Amino acid sequence: MATLEIKDLHVEVTDEENQTAKEILKGVNLTMKTGEIHAIMGPNGTGKSTLSQTIMGQPSYHVTQGDILLNGESIVDMPVDERARKGLFLGMQYPAEIQGVTNAEFLRAAVNARRAKDDQISVMDFLKMLDKNLAILDMSEAMTERYLNEGFSGGEKKRNEILQLLMIQPSFALLDEIDSGLDIDALKVVSKGVNAMRGDNFGSMIITHYQRLLNYIVPDVVHIMMGGRIVKTGDASLAKRLEKEGYAGLRDDLDIDVALVDEN
Amino acid sequence: MDTMQTQTQAATAVQTAAQQHNEPSWLINKRLAALDQMADLPMPLVQRFNYRDWELMPGNLQWADSKRDLAQVADGPVQIVQVGQTTVRVNLPEKLQEQGVVLTDFFTAVKDYPDLVQEAFMTKAMKANENRLASYHTAYLNAGVFLYVPNNVVISEPIDIQLIQDNTLDQPLNSHVLVVAGRNTEVSVSQHLTTVGENANLANCLMEVIADENSHVTVATLDELGRKTMAYVERRAYAADNASVNWAVGFMNEGNTIGNFDTELNGVGSRADAKVIAITDHDQRMGVNTKITNRGKHTNGNILQRGVILEDSELVYNGIGDIIHGAAGSEAEQENRLLMMSSNAHGNANPILLIDENDVMAGHAASVGQVDEQQLYYLMSRGIRRETAERLVIRGFLGAVLSAIPAKAVRSQLVDIIERKLENGR
Ligand SMILES: Nc1ncnc2c1ncn2[C@@H]1O[C@H](COP(=O)(O)OP(=O)(O)OP(=O)(O)O)[C@@H](O)[C@H]1O
Ligand SMILES: [Mg+2]
């Protein structure tokens, strides 16, 4: 069993324009174990992507206080690639496009990155694994010969993130709005991919705006984030309640003092 | 000694060496005329690149045999291998010989095919009086290859030209590859330039391609001259009506180098495609002009240059599109891109469009930048180490040119060289 602990996490970014620091996360606490699916919901601009990027190690996000522990070991000083090799995966809201590098070539490099130099995956085994996962995601083999994300539609990019998830088999997957821009069929396919990973050796933090995704990937725990903090934690029913009441209703219920983007 | 006297002495020396070599008088006269005008000609203009203090014209014409076993080159079906001035082997299948194809050492061709050589050598694709280095080349020419493809002959097998500069000796390599492709021909040439030995010498390597009507010539080069070689590499083509010339240049020389790649689209409907990849490292300096001139109507020129600059090196790409008045309905596109891999790297990507005709389409793109951190972050977030991620991004960046190289063997050799340079130069 693996654990991921976030303790009193404070995170700043530096504003490019006026070079001032801005605090985005203001003390996040959260513990998850493999075998569990956590959902994180919250209004726009509240820090959900920041949380996932900080866990992964995006260098623009500075931890000013608190800690992130993977299996009891602090990872805040580790570079992103090392965190990944230790078992973290981030399905990004906006995946990068890389010309000239085929999807297949990239996937193989990613799979091999976690294996010892003298134990690199054979072409046969790699293709077998790739075929199996393409089938789960209803993706054509042609997608793997295209350049990484280049010219992919929004939905294709999301599917490709999940393909990477299935190939890399991390302990923890942070999935940031993996459902945005997906049509209903694609939503089902992507959910099927994540559910295929479910089991004792896999945990996931799913960031979403929509209860609908959680009908397909049923979470064990739901967290609500507002103003850079987790303000409420509950079970799957919390997401349903949110769907009915909206963030304003929940905030007033909970008597939390934050401004929401849509309010003036 | 005044210059007049020096000049006369140089002429005498060249004349003596050429006579000793049993050259015909037309060639000797061409050498002497070139020598005579040398001092009055300008050096080739490479914008934004200063090479004023480079010594590119050592004046000695001598004949020397090189040791044949210096040429460690795998045997190929259609191939010529030269080390220094010595031709190690020529493989030309009987079928091609019967069709009239000629593949031979340049000076043998001067003797055996005097008319063909005289008609094409420095007459059409370029002239000896164009610049000082071209005239130097003509005067001091000491090695070369002649390839002749008669009208209507299609050669499917790539023709492999392996030239090895012999730096165990103390002399420059002034090599001329002359390719004459007749009407309705198709031929693909791969040229590999390498160096053996540790001496410091000049390499002045020229190639002329004359592509007659409706011929299709592809040239892929792998330039790997050594670190102690200062190089001037000029490649020129002349395209007649409906001819096409495709260049893929892997400019991987290790020493200071000037590249001058220039195609004249003379004929109606002729086309050229020039792709160049270069990687520079250490304190190397490299300046490259890649030019296509649209002279004929409905001609089409396309330049694509990509380069990677490592350590303290410098790489300048000039892309030159020259559309002459009267070349109506022509197109000229170019893209010049450089990646700088260190803060001490110097790069310049300089598109130059000279347009003297209204009815044309022309476009250019240029960039000099670093590896995109967002891309690196994305790759690294999958566990890929920084060095590997950088190499993937760089290889992707060069991919547009790599994938255009027709010969698979050349392509994979080039990929290996690139990997090695990136490995060493970080
Ligand atoms: N790199 C950055 N530079 C400057 N500001 C940033 C940066 N990243 C995030 N922010 C700011 O931090 C706040 C939180 O952004 P974040 O992307 O984490 O929100 P989110 O909860 O994921 O929102 P959404 O639901 O819209 O995706 C926003 O105000 C955003 O503008
Ligand atoms: Mg977000």
Side-chain angles (χ1 to χ4, degrees), chain A residues 242-256:
Chain A
L242 184 66
E243 179 95 341
K244 257 193 250 133
E245 298 180 16
Y247 290 112
L250 195 75
R251 177 194 55 182
D252 298 343
D253 270 12
L254 294 171
D255 200 19
I256 310 164

Side-chain angles (χ1 to χ4, degrees), chain B residues 8 32 108 190 291 296-297 307 328 360 375 385 419:
Chain B
T8 318
L32 295 175
T108 306
S190 71
K291 179 176 179 184
K297 286 190 183 14
V360 294
Q375 293 185 336
R385 287 183 168 76
E419 293 287 323

Side-chain angles (χ1 to χ4, degrees), chain A residues 12-16 20 22-25 40-53 58 60-61 93-94 176-177 207-209 225 261, chain B residues 374:
Chain A
E12 279 181 6
V13 292
T14 311
D15 195 296
E16 288 291 330
T20 53
K22 173 171 132 193
E23 184 166 63
I24 299 170
L25 298 188
I40 298 195
M41 305 182 79
N44 293 133
T46 210
K48 303 180 298 297
S49 295
T50 300
L51 176 62
S52 64
Q53 295 281 15
Q58 216 285 349
S60 322
Y61 299 94
Q93 193 170 359
Y94 305 107
D176 193 357
E177 296 201 24
I207 297 169
T208 182
H209 285 294
M225 224 176 134
V261 177
Chain B
Q374 293 298 330

Side-chain angles (χ1 to χ4, degrees), chain A residues 164-259:
Chain A
Q164 294 168 42
L165 170 67
L166 295 181
M167 294 296 289
I168 292 172
Q169 304 267 319
S171 316
F172 290 105
L174 317 164
L175 303 177
D176 193 357
E177 296 201 24
I178 205 68
D179 53 340
S180 74
L182 291 185
D183 64 39
I184 288 286
D185 294 347
L187 186 68
K188 286 183 189 165
V189 167
V190 160
S191 306
K192 188 173 143 204
V194 177
N195 285 328
M197 286 291 298
R198 261 185 121 144
D200 292 345
N201 298 317
F202 176 72
S204 186
M205 175 192 283
I206 294 176
I207 297 169
T208 182
H209 285 294
Y210 302 105
Q211 150 65 25
R212 194 177 57 190
L213 176 68
L214 304 180
N215 288 336
Y216 296 107
I217 310 171
V218 181
D220 302 296
V221 187
V222 175
H223 307 274
I224 310 291
M225 224 176 134
M226 282 190 216
R229 283 193 194 90
I230 289 175
V231 294
K232 174 100 182 143
T233 297
D235 60 15
S237 67
L238 180 58
K240 297 202 166 102
R241 187 174 144 205
L242 184 66
E243 179 95 341
K244 257 193 250 133
E245 298 180 16
Y247 290 112
L250 195 75
R251 177 194 55 182
D252 298 343
D253 270 12
L254 294 171
D255 200 19
I256 310 164
D257 179 26
V258 289

